[in-house]
Amino acid sequence: MSTFTNPASAAGPLLDWDGAADSGPAVAGGKGWNLGRLARYGLPVPDGFVLGADTYRAHMKEAGLEADAGAIEQRIGAEGALADGVEAALAALRERVATAPLPTHAGAALQSALLSFGATPLAVRSSATAEDAPDASFAGMHGTVLNVRPELGAVADAVRSCYASLWTAHAVTYRQRHGLDGVAMAVVVMRLVAARTAGVAFTADPRTGRRDQVIVTANHGLGESVVSGATDPDEYTMEGFIDRPPAVVSRRVGRKERRTETVGLDEGGGTRLVDAPTAAR
């Protein structure tokens, strides 16, 4: 259970896990909604909350960026993301999104919520309203900022970085390919798990579609090296879970040549990709 609770979560900019589960992906984004559901099911979701998608919409409106964003989307739809000047226009838009001040009400709510985290480093994660959907995953496209100082300035910067990640050529093209209009960005703020090993579990084999198997890819350190494709991780195939205890039925040991580790908060926080010791590979 999260230490952050907001009894009026449906009316305010921040949602606790219960509020995220109740609000659905249109408000909490795909990731925030699913984290809320997992917490409700009793899984050990780290303490955290969701900054709802309406704050992103207010951010874009107050910064006067809605028209520019719409014009870029129209141009990419007509000419393609590789047309002359498109990438420069997207980069300029991302810079403006990432530097415009957050709406005042959101900053005040964040400031209050961060008091419950003390000195714990945070993970700030994108949660777009169309991601993690049955037909559009947006896997790896949107921003995540790990090992963030639990201070308003650092968290606000990370939130805006997540907002800006909606405006890469890859993300815009993917939205258009799937016919998705009006996608907005909620943001998850949660305690960072100081993982010794981490990875990704697929509840169906992504290559074959088999739903009687769980595929786990994992590496030493934080899971970012696995998610970003920066290393060759271990892979485990598991069966069971429903009619019998789960068991590993096959494994492939990867090279694990690099891993992601945290940088001390006194050095500014964040992460770095480092070469792994030979013995750990």
Side-chain angles (χ1 to χ4, degrees):
M1 179 66 67
S2 173
T3 58
F4 171 79
T5 56
N6 183 2
S9 58
L14 304 187
L15 307 164
D16 59 19
W17 294 141
D18 274 341
D22 289 339
S23 297
V27 176
K31 190 179 284 94
W33 177 57
N34 281 310
L35 285 168
R37 295 170 69 210
L38 291 173
R40 180 167 287 175
Y41 297 153
L43 276 75
V45 177
D47 292 350
F49 58 85
V50 180
L51 181 62
D54 280 347
T55 299
Y56 166 80
R57 297 184 180 97
H59 180 73
M60 295 293 285
K61 183 176 181 179
E62 291 181 13
L65 297 174
E66 292 175 311
D68 290 346
I72 291 174
E73 284 191 307
Q74 288 183 349
R75 185 176 178 196
I76 291 175
E79 303 176 33
L82 298 180
D84 288 346
V86 166
E87 182 50 51
L90 283 168
L93 176 61
R94 290 195 299 272
E95 176 68 16
R96 293 172 66 192
V97 172
T99 55
L102 288 178
T104 302
H105 72 287
L110 283 172
Q111 179 73 72
S112 177
L114 290 173
L115 295 176
S116 66
F117 290 97
T120 303
L122 303 173
V124 180
R125 308 175 65 193
S126 296
S127 182
T129 54
E131 72 181 32
D132 295 342
D135 299 318
S137 69
F138 288 90
M141 290 188 198
H142 298 143
T144 287
V145 187
L146 301 177
N147 198 33
V148 178
R149 297 171 66 94
E151 301 169 354
L152 179 59
V155 172
D157 286 345
V159 167
R160 291 190 295 254
S161 177
C162 292
Y163 287 171
S165 69
L166 270 178
W167 298 102
T168 64
H170 195 180
V172 174
T173 301
Y174 189 82
R175 292 199 297 271
Q176 293 183 343
R177 184 179 301 131
H178 287 269
L180 298 170
D181 296 322
V183 175
M185 181 66 78
V187 178
V188 171
V189 180
M190 61 197 308
R191 291 185 188 274
L192 178 72
V193 176
R196 291 177 296 175
T197 59
V200 177
F202 297 92
T203 54
D205 189 325
R207 295 158 298 199
T208 66
R210 286 185 58 174
R211 293 187 173 274
D212 60 338
Q213 294 183 332
V214 170
I215 310 299
V216 178
T217 54
N219 188 28
H220 301 293
L222 300 181
E224 182 65 19
S225 63
V226 178
V227 175
S228 66
T231 195
D232 175 35
D234 289 349
E235 181 176 305
Y236 305 87
T237 300
M238 305 179 72
E239 293 181 356
F241 296 95
I242 298 174
D243 57 347
R244 62 189 186 279
V248 175
V249 296
S250 69
R251 71 187 70 206
R252 183 188 66 82
V253 177
R255 295 189 301 274
K256 301 186 294 296
E257 63 271 39
R258 288 178 291 276
R259 65 189 183 196
T260 300
E261 63 180 29
T262 58
V263 178
L265 292 183
D266 57 346
E267 301 176 57
T271 63
R272 58 190 165 207
L273 188 67
V274 300
D275 291 337
T278 302
R281 301 184 187 185

